[in-house]
Amino acid sequence: MSSRKILILNGHPGQTSLSKSLCAAYQAAAEASGHHVRCHDISQMQFDMDYGQSGYKNPKPLEPDLAAFLEDLEWAEHVVMAAPLWWGAVPAKLKAVFDRALLPGRAFDTRNVNFMGLPAPMLTGKTARVLLTSDTPSLWLRLFYGNAVKKFISRQILGFVGIKPTRFTTFAPATDAPQAKVGTWLRTASGLGAKAA
């Protein structure tokens, strides 16, 4: 298998988390298999989370951490994101990364629209894997909530800018999971990393 360029984004704002451990397991296995990995951790990223009222015609300049993230997103062939499910969506700081960094001219082209008026995606040719931690079991997430968070991430964020397909691996219930279960989950992340899947 040829090596791939992989961007890993830990989307948990805490200094320590299961998401961070999953990212570390994925990274170690991916690098051991010869893949090229760049990592970002939102708990370490410093930027203004509020896009404000500047609009796309006069956007706020990207802070260094966001500029580096966007450059690595453009560089990557495969994007891996780990995030917890909080109140049916992702943490606010993770959403803010996309609010601030996915801008016209870099992520999508408003001058080139399709028949429905949607701008052309500019980050095509990339795939994604989301490592989702949750206290809601996968079956309930699908039956009661229609997999809303998965649609939101895969269609309205990543798919909108051309990153697809997005595949999900869900780890649940995550709070107070026994160490044996966590160990199994970390091995799952390692297996995905080894295959750059």
Side-chain angles (χ1 to χ4, degrees):
M1 178 176 60
S2 60
S3 64
R4 300 188 75 188
K5 296 184 289 187
I6 302 171
L7 168 64
I8 298 177
L9 175 62
N10 172 26
H12 196 296
Q15 295 294 321
T16 60
S17 66
L18 175 58
S19 296
K20 190 167 191 169
S21 297
L22 292 168
C23 287
Y26 188 106
Q27 178 184 359
E31 290 177 338
S33 296
H35 302 293
H36 307 286
V37 181
R38 296 180 184 178
C39 297
H40 293 264
D41 185 336
I42 69 164
S43 72
Q44 305 300 315
M45 296 171 70
Q46 300 294 318
F47 62 94
D48 183 356
M49 290 173 54
D50 186 7
Y51 189 84
Q53 300 180 18
S54 57
Y56 282 150
K57 292 184 179 179
N58 185 30
K60 289 180 182 179
L62 293 180
E63 294 88 343
D65 285 342
L66 288 179
F69 169 76
L70 182 53
E71 288 172 7
D72 287 347
L73 184 60
E74 292 170 328
W75 163 86
E77 298 169 325
H78 186 56
V79 180
V80 177
M81 180 175 76
L85 178 66
W86 286 359
W87 291 106
V90 296
K93 191 172 182 181
L94 176 56
K95 175 62 164 52
V97 170
F98 301 122
D99 288 347
R100 291 289 318 282
L102 299 183
L103 297 173
R106 296 284 293 273
F108 56 94
D109 185 358
T110 56
R111 298 166 299 177
N112 179 13
V113 299
N114 65 15
F115 70 97
M116 294 188 298
L118 295 175
M122 297 179 69
L123 297 175
T124 57
K126 307 173 190 298
T127 56
R129 168 75 59 178
V130 176
L131 307 175
L132 185 68
T133 64
S134 170
D135 284 334
T136 305
S138 296
L139 181 63
W140 290 15
L141 201 61
R142 177 168 57 86
L143 293 179
F144 291 103
Y145 301 113
N147 279 332
V149 67
K150 295 181 179 181
K151 294 173 183 175
F152 157 68
I153 294 170
S154 64
R155 299 179 190 177
Q156 295 177 278
I157 298 178
L158 299 180
F160 187 85
V161 298
I163 301 171
K164 55 187 176 182
T166 297
R167 295 183 172 88
F168 290 83
T169 304
T170 304
F171 304 94
T175 299
D176 299 323
Q179 281 302 115
K181 176 64 73 174
V182 172
T184 299
W185 291 345
L186 294 176
R187 287 190 292 275
T188 297
S190 293
L192 292 170
K195 297 183 290 185

